[in-house]
Every structure is written in C-alpha cells, then in structure tokens.
Amino acid sequence: ANLLTDVLRESNVTARRAIFGIPATSSFITLVNFPLLGDAEIKSAVPFEAKKYIPIPISEVALDWQVVETDEAEKRVSVLLVAVPNEVIAKYQRIASTLGLELEAMEVESFSLVRSLLGSDHGVTAIIHWGAVVTTVSVVDRRQIRMNHNFGRGAEELTNAIARSLGITLERAEAMKREVGLSERPGEREVMGIIAPIVDSTLADIERTLTNYNRTAKRKIEKIVITGGGASLAGLVDHVARHFGLETVVANPFARTIFPAFLQPVLKGIAPNFSVAVGLALRQIATT
C-alpha cells in the first residue's frame, strides 16, 4: 500500500476506481470435463468436482467457473474452474481500502493477458508470461483459456547467473541480458553460454506441457506470444521459434490502444511489461 501510494502520487493519478490483477501463482486454474449437463446442474456439481483439483479446502477459496466447450458427439461439457484463496482476496481488499480506492474487480492475470494480447484472434495460441521469478504458460483456443501452468523459474535467474559468472553488478547484468542476450556474434558468445542452458531448461519444461496439451486437443497450438519482463531478453523470440518450430512474437498490448505517434519507440520497449495492466484496463470497455 505504501509503494502504491507513492506511485499514485508521483504519477498524478486522480482515478479512484481500480481493478487488481491476481498473479497466476496465487490461483488455481484447471479444465474439467463433465457429462452433458445444464447450467444449474453444473453449478451444483462444480464444488464437489473442484475438491479433486484444489489442494486447499473449498471453504477457503472463491470459486468461479465457465463453460468453454460443449461436445454433443462425445456427450461432454468442458468447464474451466478458477479458484483464488480467500486470504489473497482479503489482502487486496485491505490494500484498496488503505489507498482509498474503489475496488471494482479482481482478475487472475492470465485472463488479462488474453484480453490485451489476442483481441479477435480465434486461433490456438500459447502465451508465455516470463516473469521475474515465475513463468506462466497459458494455452488459449478461441480466446478461452484451455490450460494454465506455472513454472518456478523466471528472468531474474538469468540476471543472477550473468552477474555471478562475470563478476559484475546486477544492473550491468540486466543491461547485458537485454543488449547481448542469446547473441551468437563473436565476442558476445560468453553471455549466451551462461544463459542458454537456463533458457533451454525452461523451454524443455514448457515443451512437455505443450506436448501434453497437443496430444489430447483437437486443435493444435499454432502460435506463441512471449510477454513479461523476460521477453526483453535479446534473441529470445528467434530462439523460441527455432525450439518449437512455431510462429513466435513479442507481446504488444498497446496494439489495441490509441496513443501519440511520438510515444511509439517508448511503448515498443516497455510493451511486454504492461500486458497485464492493459488487459485489466480493457476489462470494462473491451467487447472482443
């Protein structure tokens, strides 16, 4: 609350209505199949089925769900379950209250990413949200999340490895990550040699998850979007594209917004860091 107070003051923000993003690591998202049932029957069955997937008592979470697919041929309904611990919700409510903000909604970040990055894209996309400490992968089909998985590795690990191996400050290591990264140019391969094994290990974990998804899904993953602070790693897009053999792009959440032309260079540089924030901002106004 103290940090946000400073941010709001220094940026001259006057709005008092807020939507908070909940990290995917503080939530449980899973796809569950039911027999063909009506909405009322699904609503009654969800709490009982959720107990099989959520590692804490149902009484201690806020539970929501939505039907993502009805398959008449196989006589099943696919339902996305989302649960957030009550203590997490209470924490954000306390922060909003301390700031004097009107908390209009809370949303798991994975859903914000879908809204800001995919627009009207109805294909099958894997969103890799490469955060500082955790990497989250969401598979989205027709703008509906079909799979969500967290990995306990993030971009901070790369910065620490560079700093430790080269005996430099974290600030300099961060700059080298963004400027040199996975470059194979002579004279820059030392940095790649440090971080490539870490990146490849993370990609191997992601690949196993995506392979499992493709094994059972009717529609296969066609594209990868990389977002989060880790997306700023130089050479990452080409590296990921080669690894998976799929079209790979860096996230641009500002593609659906209007802004002065002179801001283009600035926004291009910071875009992946604002994917969640833009998605939250679009929540009240986006129709597609």
Side-chain angles (χ1 to χ4, degrees):
N2 290 335
L3 291 171
L4 287 174
T5 297
D6 291 341
V7 169
L8 294 173
R9 183 182 61 250
E10 296 297 325
S11 56
N12 294 317
V13 169
T14 58
R16 306 316 298 170
R17 296 158 57 204
I19 301 175
F20 281 13
I22 298 175
T25 50
S26 296
S27 65
F28 308 97
I29 302 176
T30 188
L31 195 69
V32 179
N33 290 322
F34 288 88
L36 278 179
L37 299 171
D39 285 350
E41 295 171 302
I42 293 175
K43 184 177 180 179
S44 299
V46 159
F48 296 98
E49 192 67 20
K51 292 178 182 178
K52 301 177 184 178
Y53 302 92
I54 298 172
I56 60 177
I58 295 300
S59 60
E60 296 179 11
V61 302
L63 185 65
D64 201 0
W65 60 275
Q66 67 181 88
V67 174
V68 297
E69 183 180 37
T70 300
D71 192 323
E72 298 283 351
E74 295 188 8
K75 293 182 169 38
R76 64 173 174 81
V77 178
S78 297
V79 175
L80 189 69
L81 298 181
V82 183
V84 177
N86 293 332
E87 62 180 291
V88 173
I89 293 175
K91 180 181 73 172
Y92 284 111
Q93 288 173 333
R94 289 196 302 272
I95 293 172
S97 177
T98 302
L99 294 169
L101 295 176
E102 180 185 346
L103 184 56
E104 296 213 344
M106 286 177 273
E107 179 174 81
V108 177
E109 290 179 349
S110 299
F111 295 90
S112 307
L113 294 173
V114 173
R115 188 181 301 109
S116 67
L117 302 181
L118 299 187
S120 58
D121 186 344
H122 285 253
V124 186
T125 302
I127 299 176
I128 300 177
H129 187 222
W130 213 306
V133 180
V134 175
T135 299
T136 299
V137 179
S138 305
V139 177
V140 183
D141 185 359
R142 297 186 179 93
R143 302 185 73 248
Q144 300 272 14
I145 293 177
R146 301 302 181 98
M147 185 276 294
N148 197 82
H149 197 86
N150 300 313
F151 301 94
R153 311 189 73 165
E156 210 172 66
E157 184 178 359
L158 304 178
T159 306
N160 291 334
I162 295 172
R164 185 171 56 251
S165 298
L166 300 182
I168 58 178
T169 65
L170 289 173
E171 290 76 12
R172 179 58 187 147
E174 182 67 25
M176 293 188 74
K177 187 175 71 176
R178 296 168 182 267
E179 297 164 6
V180 178
L182 295 166
S183 170
E184 296 184 355
R185 291 192 295 266
E188 296 181 339
R189 291 178 181 172
E190 185 178 13
V191 174
M192 186 192 72
I194 295 168
I195 63 176
I198 302 172
V199 172
D200 288 339
S201 178
T202 302
L203 293 182
D205 290 338
I206 294 172
E207 184 176 20
R208 282 190 287 273
T209 298
L210 299 188
T211 299
N212 288 337
Y213 177 86
N214 279 335
R215 188 176 293 124
T216 58
K218 294 179 180 179
R219 286 159 47 96
K220 312 305 179 186
I221 298 165
E222 308 161 340
K223 178 181 177 181
I224 293 174
V225 178
I226 306 176
T227 187
S232 62
L233 174 65
L236 180 62
V237 169
D238 290 341
H239 194 79
V240 171
R242 287 194 297 270
H243 185 99
F244 291 100
L246 294 172
E247 176 190 358
T248 304
V249 299
V250 173
N252 179 18
F254 297 113
R256 303 181 67 199
T257 64
I258 297 173
F259 50 83
F262 72 87
L263 284 177
Q264 177 69 36
V266 175
L267 295 183
K268 182 178 180 180
I270 65 174
N273 296 285
F274 282 82
S275 297
V276 171
V278 172
L280 292 170
L282 290 173
R283 178 186 168 99
Q284 304 293 66
I285 59 176
T287 57
T288 59

